[in-house]
Amino acid sequence: MAYRFQRRISLAPGVRLNISKRGVGLSVGPRGASVSMGPRGIHAHAGLPGTGLAYRTQLSSSRRASSKEQASAPSALETRIGQGESLGLQLSVKKDGNVRYLFEDGTPLSDQDVRWLRRHARDAIRAQLKTLCDELNADIVRLGQLHHDTPSPHCRGYTPRHFAEPAPTPPTPVPLPWWKALWPPARRQHESDNTRRQTRFNDDYRTWEHRKADFDAAEFARQQREEQGVLRQRDDMTLTLQERLEEIDWPRETVIDFDLGSDDTTMALDIDLPSGDDMPDREWTMPAKALKLTPKSLSATRQRKLYRDHVHGIAFRVLGAVFVRLPSVQEVRVSGYRQVVDLTTGGTRDQYLYSIKVTRAQWNRIHFDQLAQVDPVAAVEAFTLRRDMTKTGIFRDIEPFMLV
């Protein structure tokens, strides 16, 4: 692809959103949830990542359910549990909706183990599959609502974050029994052990203080950069925009090329957009009894509408990041392109779908407290727009605006 501008940002996708139609590879349930088994039965674990909060609940007893089960040979999974192991499992859903049962290291369970698990944890599996079904369908909806999280251009400044890592806990001196205190070698060894633990704590605490000082210094520098540097320093403007774009929960890897105009009041950006084939082509339902998900194909019309809303939502988010973080920029030109097959050579070429020129005054007219009522496809029509799109969401080539 051709690079029109000097600077490039490659933005990693968010960890939860999957817009590929090539299969579903998500773990069942919310992040932090799992099913584990031990000699006392099967338990569900769920936690909120980053919070330290979790809960654990028993799903079933380890006793066999019937005399028929007692007569059959135990599965390897059941045998390991009976020997006192506690096993974590992962559930994933294939493209056809069927469930794969895996150990934590990715090794699949045997058919016999799967049958045993489905008998003893059926309700837990269904609950997690229902959670996954709801999340997958919600992710499809969110693809068309990416613009909902666009910040108001009046929300400026930066609030430094607090250092989240807790300080090391000081050691508690271990008391020495009185009969050992009477023996000098034991007393000296005890004092040496306490001194060693205190020394290790002192070293750990100093290391923690250094990490905290570095973090606080970086946060202060970022605050100065976002509140003052962006007003006059081109490098600060570039770094601030990059940091803010990287903090957006992008649904896929997104590449953005950009450059500032000669007087720093204009900016142009090129966005590498997904192709229509990268969008999901199905939604999911939960059968009444089966332990699986059922895929339901999206209509071609709905897929095109989802794609149309999504690519315009990306432009909306990028425009929002520029206007809220770079107060000296008064005009932005954002263009979106995708790779298509070049019918003349058989290779690929960049096809520009839209090119939008927006002034800060025009952007400020949007009601950012009512973004759920805003259609990004229609909203960009209030700006200077180059776009050749049919009512059903089919795009044709356009020539993008240049940076002047």
Side-chain angles (χ1 to χ4, degrees), residues 46 98 110 144 149 184-185 200 291 300 302 311 323 356 395 397:
N98 286 313
S110 68
D149 296 322
R200 186 185 303 118
L291 293 180
R302 185 176 173 191
V311 297
F323 280 124
I356 310 164
F395 291 90
D397 294 72

Side-chain angles (χ1 to χ4, degrees), residues 327-368:
S328 64
V329 173
Q330 299 301 311
E331 181 183 280
V332 182
R333 305 178 183 197
V334 59
S335 305
Y337 66 92
R338 64 185 177 187
Q339 280 80 51
V340 297
V341 175
D342 189 334
L343 298 180
T344 62
T345 65
T348 59
R349 65 179 180 86
D350 295 338
Q351 179 192 34
Y352 280 86
L353 308 187
Y354 55 70
S355 194
I356 310 164
K357 183 163 59 175
V358 191
T359 66
R360 183 173 289 275
Q362 290 173 318
W363 189 250
N364 287 343
R365 295 191 189 115
I366 295 174
H367 293 268
F368 288 91

Side-chain angles (χ1 to χ4, degrees), residues 146-386:
L146 194 62
H147 68 291
H148 284 190
D149 296 322
T150 305
S152 167
H154 306 297
C155 299
R156 296 179 184 170
Y158 179 73
T159 302
R161 297 170 296 173
H162 295 290
F163 188 56
E165 180 185 342
T169 303
T172 301
V174 178
L176 182 67
W178 66 268
W179 62 89
K180 288 187 177 182
L182 299 177
W183 190 38
R187 186 172 62 252
R188 287 194 295 270
Q189 181 63 45
H190 177 75
E191 293 172 351
S192 176
D193 291 344
N194 280 337
T195 300
R196 185 172 61 255
R197 283 191 290 269
Q198 184 64 41
T199 300
R200 186 185 303 118
F201 165 75
N202 293 340
D203 292 341
D204 291 344
Y205 192 85
R206 280 193 293 270
T207 302
W208 175 84
E209 283 186 318
H210 290 154
R211 287 197 299 269
K212 183 178 185 302
D214 291 342
F215 178 87
D216 291 342
E219 287 296 292
F220 178 75
R222 182 172 180 179
Q223 183 182 29
Q224 294 296 107
R225 182 170 63 249
E226 293 210 12
E227 293 182 354
Q228 300 179 22
V230 293
L231 300 176
R232 55 185 181 275
Q233 298 291 336
R234 176 175 283 233
D235 289 344
D236 286 349
M237 295 172 68
T238 299
L239 182 55
T240 294
L241 179 61
Q242 178 175 336
E243 289 172 337
R244 287 298 181 170
L245 289 175
E246 288 174 344
E247 290 173 351
I248 295 175
D249 188 15
W250 298 101
R252 65 183 289 274
E253 184 177 5
T254 302
V255 177
I256 299 177
D257 301 321
F258 68 97
D259 208 352
L260 286 160
S262 57
D263 60 355
D264 296 345
T265 63
T266 59
M267 171 170 276
L269 307 97
D270 273 3
I271 308 171
D272 184 3
L273 299 171
S275 69
D277 291 339
D278 291 325
M279 303 299 288
D281 64 350
R282 66 197 63 196
E283 58 186 355
W284 303 89
T285 59
M286 184 76 185
K289 296 182 179 180
L291 293 180
K292 60 175 293 184
L293 298 184
T294 302
K296 178 183 177 182
S297 297
L298 298 178
S299 67
T301 300
R302 185 176 173 191
Q303 288 184 63
R304 286 196 297 270
K305 182 180 185 304
L306 180 64
Y307 181 74
R308 178 193 69 183
D309 293 345
H310 180 62
V311 297
H312 285 83
I314 293 175
F316 219 82
R317 289 304 306 273
V318 171
L319 285 165
V322 174
F323 280 124
V324 75
R325 294 303 165 194
L326 306 182
S328 64
V329 173
Q330 299 301 311
E331 181 183 280
V332 182
R333 305 178 183 197
V334 59
S335 305
Y337 66 92
R338 64 185 177 187
Q339 280 80 51
V340 297
V341 175
D342 189 334
L343 298 180
T344 62
T345 65
T348 59
R349 65 179 180 86
D350 295 338
Q351 179 192 34
Y352 280 86
L353 308 187
Y354 55 70
S355 194
I356 310 164
K357 183 163 59 175
V358 191
T359 66
R360 183 173 289 275
Q362 290 173 318
W363 189 250
N364 287 343
R365 295 191 189 115
I366 295 174
H367 293 268
F368 288 91
D369 58 343
Q370 299 292 330
L371 287 178
Q373 309 301 320
V374 174
D375 178 359
V377 180
V380 299
E381 296 173 0
F383 312 137
T384 305
L385 174 66
R386 291 181 182 176

